[in-house]
Amino acid sequence: MTDTLPEAPMGTVYDLDDHRPRTGPVTLVKDDHAVDTADAGGVEAVDRADNPLADWLTVPDAPVLPAWARSAASIKANVHAFMRLSWWQARYHGIRTPKYLVKTLILAARGFYRACKGLWPTLSAQDHSAAVKALRAQAKARPEDIELATRLQIAHAERTRTRRWRFGTAAVAVAGATIGIYLADPLLQTGMTAAVVAPLAHLGRSKETRLLDQGAPPLKVDMSAQQLNDALRAAGLLKAASGKEEAPRVSCSMGPVRDGRGWAVIFDLPRGGGKTASDVLAKREVIAQELGVDEIQVIMSRVRAAKGGNAGRVSLWVADDDPYLGTPNPSPLASASRFSVWDPIPFGQDARGNRIEVPIMWQSMFFGGLPRRGKTFTQRLMTAAGLLDPWVRHYVADGKGGADWMPMRAVAHRLVMGAEDDAVEALKAMLAELLVEMERRFALLRELPTSICPEGKLTPQIVEKYQLPVIFVTIDELQEYFTAMEREDREQVINDLCRIARRGPAAGFISNFASQRPDADSVPTKLREIITLRYSTQVVDRTSSDMILGKGKAAQGADASVLSEDHVGTGVLVTGPASYVTVRADYLDGPGFAALCVKGRALREQAGQLTGDAAGDVTAAADAHGVTLAPIISDALEVMRHSPRMFTNDLIAALVNLDEDTYGDYNGERLAADLEAAGVKRTSKQVKINGANGAGYQRRDIEGAVPAELLLNPAG
C-alpha cells in the first residue's frame, strides 16, 4: 500500500519524498563500515566516488558503430560512392597514361644522369687519385728521391688497374642487361624494362615532382563538421568566439556521411545560444550559399521526438547536384490494371529517390503554381488512381476547357468544360447535385447500425453493399469560374465548395481543386484554409507560395519559389501543419491518361458503375466500339456538351479554345464545309438563343451524323 496524504488546510506544503513507497537500500560498495540506510529512508546511488564498479557500470553515450556503418542504407551509399570514385579515377588516369609514360621516361633519363654522376667517383677510382696527386706533388718537389718516384709509379699503376676492372665490370653489366632484355620474351622485356626504369625515375624526381595529375573527385559537394559550423556561424545561428573562449559548435549525432548522391548529417544546436531548429530552416538560402551549393540541393527538416529528436535537432542532406532534374519517372499507374483509392496513391519521389505515396481518403487536395509547370499533369495523377477503381464516381469541371480533361468524357458522371455561361450553369447544377447526394449519404449512414458503420463514415463494404461509390470532385482552373460569375453566384459556389470540402470526406467525397496563384479574389481564403493536402509547383515569390501551401510555410522551409523553370513536374507537397516534402511527381502524359480513361470505362461497365454523362456520351461510346468519328464531329459535340444550340462564332471560339493548332484558322465557311463533309445535315442555318437570332448549329443536327446504333445504345 502507498501512503496517503492526511487532510490538512488548503495551502499546506508537503514533501512528496516523505510519502513515496520505501525500498530497500541499494549499494555495491564493499565496505565493512557501511551503515544501514534503511532507517534513514535513503537509497544509495550506484554512481558514487567510492564505488569501485561505477566506472564500468556507467553506460557511455558514444555509439558503438561509426556513423557510416549504423544502417544498411548508409553502408550501401558509401560503398556506391567508393565505387563511383574508383571508376572515375581509373578513367581519369587511364586517359593520361601516355602523358605519364613520357614523364616517366624524362624522370628516368634524369635519374640515369644522376646515377652516372654519382657512380663516376667510384668508376674513376677517385679514392686512389688523391694518393697519386699527393705523391706527384712531392715527386716534383724532390725529383732526386728515387723511393718517392717508385711509390708514385706503383700508386699510378694501382689506380689504372682499378679503373680498368671497375669500368669493365660496369660495361659487362650494361651489355649483359641489354642483351638479356633484347633476347627475352616481350612480357619479360616489359617487366625488366619497368624494373630498370622505375628506380631511375624515382632517382630522377625532385620535391616538386608529381607523376600523376591531381584529379578532382566526382563528388561536387564536400562536407565536414567544420564546414557545417562555419556555415551556421555565418548564418547567425552560432555565436562567434569571444576572448579566450572557444566558439560554440554543433553536436553531430550522425555524420557527415555519404547518403546516396549527397551528404547527410543530423546535428543538435548548442544550448545557451537561443536558436532552434525552426531558425535553421528559415536560413536555408544562407546555409546553401556558405556550403557553396544551390538552395535546391539543401534538404532540411526537424527531427521530432518520435524519431529521437528535440527542438534543436536538424536533419540536413546536401545533394551533389540538382536532385530534381533528369528523365521523368513514369507513373506506376500507367501499367496497373486496377487500383483501390483506399490505398495510398503513388505520387512521386523525393530528392533522395524515396517513393512518396499520398493517402487521399478523408482528405481534400489543392494544386497551384505557374502555368506550364506540370500542375495539371500532377493533379491528374490523383484522378488517374480513381480511374482504376470502378467504385469511384467522377465529377469533373475544367475552367480552361482545353484538351487536358477531355478524355474524362469516357468515365465522368458529370463533365463541365469551359467557363462560358452555359458551363457556369452546369457547374452550379453539378454542385447542387453533389450537396443533395452528400446529405442523402449522411442520412443513410446515420441509420446504419454501429456493427456496419462504427465510426459514421464510409467503408469499402458499405460502398459496394449500398451502392455508394467514392466521389471524386475535380475542378481545374478554379479561378476561371470565379472570375466569370456574378458576385452572388460566386458566393454561392464558394459556400457549396466549402461545404463539400469540409463535410464531404466523411461521406466519401474527395475534393481535388487546382488554380494558379490563389489570391483572395480568385480563390478565397476560407476555401483554401480547409484543404488538408496542398501541392505547389514553381511560383514567383514566397507570398504566392504561402497562398497555396499555407501561411508561414515558406519560413518553415516549404517554399515553392526556390524552384526554377527547369523543375517541370516538381513541387512542394504539404501534408500537415509541420509536414512537407519536395516531390518530383510521376509522369503521366496525355495519351497515357486517355488510355487509363478507356480502361476505367471498361472497369465500370463490368461493375455496372458507368453512369451519368459518360453513359450517354456518344464519342466515348464510339471509341469503346472501335468506331472512328470524324474529329470535327467529336470536337463539336464536346464543346456543345451543355448547349442544344450555338452561334457559329461561339462554336468556332470554343473549338479554338479546345485545339488552337487545328481550328485556329477556321471561319464560318470552312466550318460549314467540314461539317457537311462529315455528314452533318443542317435543318436550319439560323438559331435563336436568348431571343437573339443568328447563324449557328443545332446539336441534334451534328448528332445526326453519328451512327444510329451508338445513339440508341451509347453505353454499349
Side-chain angles (χ1 to χ4, degrees):
M1 295 180 62
T2 59
D3 296 341
T4 59
L5 297 178
E7 296 183 0
M10 182 176 295
T12 303
V13 178
Y14 293 98
D15 186 354
L16 296 180
D17 290 335
D18 295 338
H19 300 276
R20 290 194 172 99
R22 307 301 187 194
T23 58
V26 178
T27 178
L28 295 179
V29 180
K30 298 180 180 180
D31 188 354
D32 295 337
H33 301 286
V35 297
D36 188 0
T37 59
D39 295 336
V43 179
E44 186 174 356
V46 174
D47 191 10
R48 276 187 48 178
D50 57 351
N51 185 353
L53 305 179
D55 292 339
W56 67 269
L57 283 177
T58 302
V59 179
D61 293 333
V64 177
L65 294 175
W68 61 268
R70 294 177 196 169
S71 67
S74 180
I75 295 175
K76 181 179 178 181
N78 281 276
V79 170
H80 179 66
F82 176 76
M83 294 174 62
R84 286 179 56 219
L85 177 63
S86 300
W87 173 236
W88 187 91
Q89 293 284 8
R91 290 181 293 138
Y92 179 88
H93 293 298
I95 294 175
R96 290 161 176 78
T97 299
K99 176 183 177 181
Y100 296 157
L101 290 176
V102 173
K103 290 177 67 174
T104 300
L105 293 177
I106 294 175
L107 292 176
R110 186 191 298 173
F112 180 75
Y113 168 76
R114 290 179 178 177
C116 292
K117 184 178 180 180
L119 289 174
W120 181 254
T122 301
L123 295 176
S124 60
Q126 289 187 6
D127 52 339
H128 290 60
S129 297
V132 172
K133 290 179 180 179
L135 291 173
R136 183 179 291 117
Q138 293 178 9
K140 286 183 178 180
R142 292 179 293 171
E144 69 281 0
D145 191 340
I146 302 300
E147 181 181 358
L148 187 59
T150 302
R151 290 171 55 192
L152 174 61
Q153 184 178 10
I154 294 173
H156 187 275
E158 181 65 22
R159 186 183 68 174
T160 301
R161 285 194 299 272
T162 301
R163 284 180 174 179
R164 286 175 179 174
W165 74 261
R166 289 183 179 180
F167 274 108
T169 301
V172 170
V174 172
T178 303
I179 295 173
I181 293 175
Y182 179 77
L183 297 178
D185 294 334
L187 184 61
L188 185 59
Q189 284 180 343
T190 303
M192 296 172 67
T193 302
V196 174
V197 172
L200 292 178
H202 180 76
L203 182 62
R205 65 185 178 86
S206 62
K207 293 182 178 180
E208 295 78 17
T209 301
R210 292 185 180 275
L211 177 62
L212 302 180
D213 294 344
Q214 296 300 312
L219 306 177
K220 298 180 181 180
V221 179
D222 195 8
M223 180 183 286
S224 64
Q226 182 61 42
Q227 288 174 309
L228 177 61
N229 281 282
D230 292 343
L232 295 175
R233 190 166 291 110
L237 299 168
L238 293 179
K239 295 180 179 179
S242 58
K244 296 182 179 180
E245 296 183 0
E246 294 184 359
R249 304 170 64 86
V250 299
S251 175
C252 296
S253 59
M254 186 196 80
V257 296
R258 289 295 300 174
D259 183 0
R261 297 181 65 87
W263 290 91
V265 59
I266 298 177
F267 63 89
D268 291 328
L269 293 171
R271 298 181 182 179
K275 299 296 182 181
T276 65
S278 298
D279 297 322
V280 178
L281 302 184
K283 294 286 187 177
R284 176 184 178 187
E285 185 176 1
V286 179
I287 294 173
Q289 187 273 332
E290 292 296 328
L291 293 176
V293 298
D294 188 87
E295 58 187 304
I296 197 67
Q297 298 173 243
V298 178
I299 311 298
M300 295 191 297
S301 62
R302 284 190 56 181
V303 182
R304 293 289 181 173
K307 297 183 179 180
N310 54 68
R313 179 165 291 185
V314 179
S315 174
L316 171 67
W317 187 74
V318 182
D320 296 335
D321 45 29
D322 193 325
Y324 304 110
L325 300 180
T327 305
N329 304 307
S331 172
L333 295 171
S335 57
S337 59
R338 192 162 178 153
F339 187 82
S340 173
V341 295
W342 296 87
D343 298 328
I345 294 178
F347 190 72
Q349 294 183 358
D350 65 5
R352 304 194 197 191
N354 300 317
R355 290 295 307 172
I356 302 298
E357 296 182 337
V358 181
I360 61 170
M361 286 304 299
W362 327 124
Q363 305 288 347
S364 52
M365 300 170 285
F366 187 87
F367 294 80
L370 292 174
R372 291 171 293 279
R373 295 295 185 271
K375 169 175 57 66
T376 298
F377 275 58
T378 308
Q379 183 191 19
R380 288 193 315 196
L381 285 175
M382 302 305 185
T383 304
L387 291 173
L388 296 176
D389 189 338
W391 290 97
V392 172
R393 182 174 295 170
H394 292 274
Y395 288 73
V396 181
D398 179 15
K400 183 172 59 177
D404 292 332
W405 294 96
M406 189 188 300
M408 286 297 295
R409 63 190 177 190
V411 179
H413 181 81
R414 294 286 180 260
L415 178 61
V416 179
M417 302 296 292
E420 292 75 19
D421 292 343
D422 54 351
V424 170
E425 293 300 321
L427 174 66
K428 292 162 58 179
M430 184 181 82
L431 295 179
E433 179 182 337
L434 286 169
L435 291 174
V436 171
E437 175 65 14
M438 183 174 68
E439 297 302 332
R440 185 184 74 86
R441 292 188 176 206
F442 279 128
L444 175 61
L445 294 175
R446 285 193 298 267
E447 298 298 326
L448 294 178
T450 55
S451 59
I452 298 178
C453 186
E455 298 181 3
K457 296 191 298 186
L458 213 62
T459 65
Q461 294 74 24
I462 295 175
V463 165
E464 297 192 21
K465 182 176 181 179
Y466 294 94
Q467 298 290 303
L468 298 177
V470 176
I471 291 181
F472 264 42
V473 184
T474 304
I475 304 179
D476 193 9
E477 304 297 348
L478 193 58
Q479 78 284 347
E480 295 294 331
Y481 290 110
F482 290 150
T483 56
M485 294 178 184
E486 298 295 335
R487 181 176 180 180
E488 293 182 0
D489 290 342
R490 182 174 180 270
E491 290 299 326
Q492 182 61 48
V493 168
I494 291 172
N495 291 333
D496 291 346
L497 291 174
C498 288
R499 290 179 61 189
I500 292 172
R502 182 171 52 249
R503 300 184 59 225
F509 284 54
I510 300 174
S511 300
N512 184 9
F513 303 150
S515 174
Q516 297 177 19
R517 184 179 185 265
D519 54 27
D521 295 330
S522 58
V523 182
T525 304
K526 71 176 183 179
L527 174 59
R528 284 183 280 125
E529 292 303 319
I530 60 177
I531 303 295
T532 54
L533 300 178
R534 303 186 183 194
Y535 180 85
S536 176
T537 57
Q538 184 198 11
V539 293
V540 295
D541 52 29
R542 284 193 163 199
T543 302
S544 299
S545 180
D546 279 350
M547 285 183 179
I548 299 172
L549 301 178
K551 185 178 181 180
K553 286 296 186 291
Q556 298 177 9
D559 183 9
S561 65
V562 303
L563 301 172
S564 70
E565 58 274 8
D566 296 324
H567 296 122
V568 178
T570 297
V572 180
L573 174 66
V574 172
T575 57
S579 301
Y580 66 89
V581 61
T582 301
V583 182
R584 189 180 184 195
D586 293 334
Y587 180 67
L588 180 64
D589 59 9
F593 182 72
L596 286 181
C597 289
V598 174
K599 190 180 297 184
R601 183 182 181 90
L603 290 173
R604 282 158 179 79
E605 288 177 346
Q606 294 173 6
Q609 290 297 310
L610 188 64
T611 59
D613 294 349
D617 191 279
V618 175
T619 306
D623 294 338
H625 282 78
V627 177
T628 302
L629 297 179
I632 188 65
I633 296 294
S634 59
D635 291 344
L637 289 175
E638 180 61 36
V639 299
M640 296 182 71
R641 172 181 294 271
H642 312 297
S643 304
R645 61 192 66 84
M646 187 175 287
F647 291 129
T648 301
N649 291 337
D650 293 338
L651 179 57
I652 293 175
L655 289 172
V656 171
N657 185 54
L658 181 67
D659 189 349
E660 185 175 1
D661 294 337
T662 302
Y663 303 107
D665 298 330
Y666 265 56
N667 54 28
E669 292 76 12
R670 183 174 178 184
L671 176 63
D674 285 358
L675 287 174
E676 184 178 356
V680 175
K681 297 180 180 179
R682 300 170 69 179
T683 57
S684 174
K685 295 184 179 181
Q686 295 288 318
V687 295
K688 186 175 182 179
I689 303 175
N690 296 329
N693 288 314
Y697 291 84
Q698 301 277 356
R699 186 172 63 195
R700 64 172 182 265
D701 292 343
I702 299 177
E703 290 178 344
V706 179
E709 61 271 16
L710 295 180
L711 292 174
L712 294 174
N713 188 19

